[in-house]
Amino acid sequence: MRATATAQPNIALIKYWGKRDTALNLPAVGSISITLSDLFTSMTVDFDDALEQDVLHVNNERNDTLLPRLSHALDIAAGDARPRARIHSECNFPIAAGLASSASSFAAVVVAASAAMGIERSVGELANLAGRASGSAARSLYGGFVELENSGDAVVVSELLPADAWPLDVVVAVTATGPKPVGSTEAMEISRKTSPFYERWVSDQPDDLASARDAIASRDFSALASIAEHNCLKMHSVMWSSRPPIVYWNDATLACLQTIRQLQSDGVDVFFTIDAGPQVKAVCDKAHTDRVEAALRATDGVRNILRSGLGEGARLS
Ligand code: PMV
C-alpha cells in the first residue's frame, strides 16, 4: 500500500486570503495561479497496519513539526480509520517560508495516499481533498494558468491556459529562509475578524479575477502585470491593517520591489507578487529572465535566487 506522487508549487497572481468556512477550509474568494515546473515536492506514502503512528521524513530527516498537518491530510484522503503511514517527502526548495511548499506537499500527499489506498479519484475530487488541507494546494493539481472558483460547499478548479501556451518564467528572490512568524490559516482569521478592508477585499475580487482572466486569454503581459500587482498589494494591505498587524515583509522585500520598478521603467516585461512570506516572486517574459535574475541577485539582502518556468499539475510518479 505504497505510492509516490510529485507536485509543484503554484504562485497566485490573484490571491486567496480569508476563509468562508473554516471547518471545510473553503476560501472566501476565488483565485488564479500559475503552476511552476522546476521546484518540486515528491511524497511517498506507505500505509502499514503494523505501524502505531504516522512517521514523517523530510529530505531524509525525521520531522515532527510538519507531521500533524500531513497526518490530517492523510485522514482527509484515506479516512480516519486508515492504517498509519510512513511518509517520505523530498523538496528542493525552502519549506514554510512563503514559497508555497504547503501547496505542493498537500497536492502530492493526496494523490499518493489515494493511489496507495487503491481509490480512483478524478482530478477535481483530488483538488477538493487537497484544498481541505491547504486552500492553495487545490490549484497544484493543475498545470499552467489555473483558476479556483467557489461553488457551494466545494471548489471548482480549472486550467485557463496550459503552461506551454504562454511560457513565462518566475524568478524567486529569497530574502529569508526561516519559517514564517504567523501561519496563513491563523493570519487569515485575524484579517477576517479585524481588518477594516476585509469586506471590500472580498467584494472586489470578482473584478480582479475577470481582469486577470481577460489578460491571460489575450496574453496581455502589461494588463496581467497591472492587475496582479494591484491584487497582491491589496492583500498585503488587508494583512497590514489587521490587528495585530501581519507584516511578512523585510527590508529586502521592499528593495526587490524597487529593483522591479526600475526594470519596468527600463522596458523589461516583469511584475512582482508576494505571498505569506518575505520572498518576492518576479514573473517575466522568458526573453528577460537573465536580466531579472541578475538585477534581483544584486539587490541588497537577497540571499538566494530560484528560477522556474511553468509546469504541469500533480501526478503519480
Ligand atoms: O493555502 P494556504 O493556506 O497556504 O494560503 C495561501 C495564501 C496565499 O499564498 C497568501 C495566497 C494564495 O492564493 O496562494
Side-chain angles (χ1 to χ4, degrees):
M1 293 170 73
R2 174 190 161 113
T4 301
T6 302
Q8 284 94 247
N10 67 80
I11 306 288
L13 304 182
I14 303 297
K15 311 284 191 187
Y16 141 57
W17 193 252
K19 299 181 199 292
R20 73 192 155 93
D21 183 327
T22 45
L24 290 173
N25 202 39
L26 291 170
V29 291
S31 54
I32 290 180
S33 61
I34 43 181
T35 303
L36 303 184
S37 55
D38 299 44
L39 313 186
F40 71 86
T41 302
S42 160
M43 282 276 177
T44 300
V45 175
D46 186 3
F47 288 113
D48 183 345
D49 288 316
L51 282 176
E52 284 185 8
Q53 54 189 27
D54 296 331
V55 189
L56 169 68
H57 286 84
V58 178
N59 295 335
N60 292 320
E61 277 185 29
R62 184 155 173 162
N63 186 316
D64 291 334
T65 315
L66 299 174
L67 180 62
R69 284 190 74 194
L70 279 168
S71 287
H72 176 60
L74 291 182
D75 293 345
I76 291 170
D80 296 353
R82 66 177 172 81
R84 301 300 101 183
R86 270 181 292 274
I87 314 164
H88 278 272
S89 166
E90 271 177 51
C91 194
N92 71 343
F93 60 100
I95 293 169
L99 282 173
S101 59
S102 65
S104 51
S105 299
F106 292 123
V109 85
V110 160
V111 173
S114 300
M117 293 293 280
I119 309 170
E120 280 200 23
R121 291 184 162 125
S122 69
V123 62
E125 287 168 331
L126 291 165
N128 270 276
L129 294 175
R132 282 181 52 200
S134 161
S136 56
R139 300 184 308 235
S140 275
L141 265 298
Y142 295 79
F145 292 76
V146 177
E147 176 162 11
L148 183 152
E149 295 167 72
N150 280 311
S151 166
D153 61 0
V155 294
V156 177
V157 192
S158 54
E159 193 179 284
L160 295 174
L161 210 60
D164 57 1
W166 195 11
L168 301 176
D169 272 343
V170 179
V171 179
V172 182
V174 178
T175 65
T177 48
K180 51 191 163 195
V182 198
S184 50
T185 298
E186 185 188 344
M188 284 183 200
E189 279 302 281
I190 296 172
S191 289
R192 183 177 67 79
K193 289 179 185 152
T194 65
S195 169
F197 304 151
Y198 182 78
E199 277 177 32
R200 182 72 190 266
W201 156 254
V202 172
S203 66
D204 280 2
Q205 189 80 340
D207 292 344
D208 290 9
L209 288 164
S211 302
R213 232 180 268 127
D214 286 351
I216 291 164
S218 55
R219 306 222 232 304
D220 182 339
F221 190 89
S222 62
L224 186 61
S226 166
I227 193 62
E229 290 190 351
H230 170 68
N231 188 267
C232 165
L233 293 176
K234 207 158 57 176
M235 178 184 76
H236 285 276
S237 303
V238 172
M239 295 174 178
W240 286 34
S241 58
S242 300
R243 301 182 83 168
I246 300 151
V247 179
Y248 289 113
W249 299 16
N250 58 33
D251 289 359
T253 311
L254 213 45
C256 289
L257 296 201
Q258 275 161 353
T259 297
I260 290 168
R261 283 279 177 265
Q262 186 59 50
L263 287 165
Q264 289 170 333
S265 52
D266 294 344
V268 175
D269 280 338
V270 59
F271 65 85
F272 65 79
T273 191
I274 306 162
D275 293 298
Q279 331 302 1
V280 177
K281 290 111 184 190
V283 181
C284 62
D285 188 286
K286 274 193 183 296
H288 298 143
T289 315
D290 288 342
R291 188 160 167 197
V292 170
E293 176 178 345
L296 286 171
R297 221 178 252 291
T299 301
D300 272 353
V302 171
R303 289 155 172 247
N304 191 15
I305 294 282
L306 307 172
R307 249 172 98 143
S308 180
L310 306 192
E312 54 183 319
R315 66 227 166 261
L316 280 172
S317 314

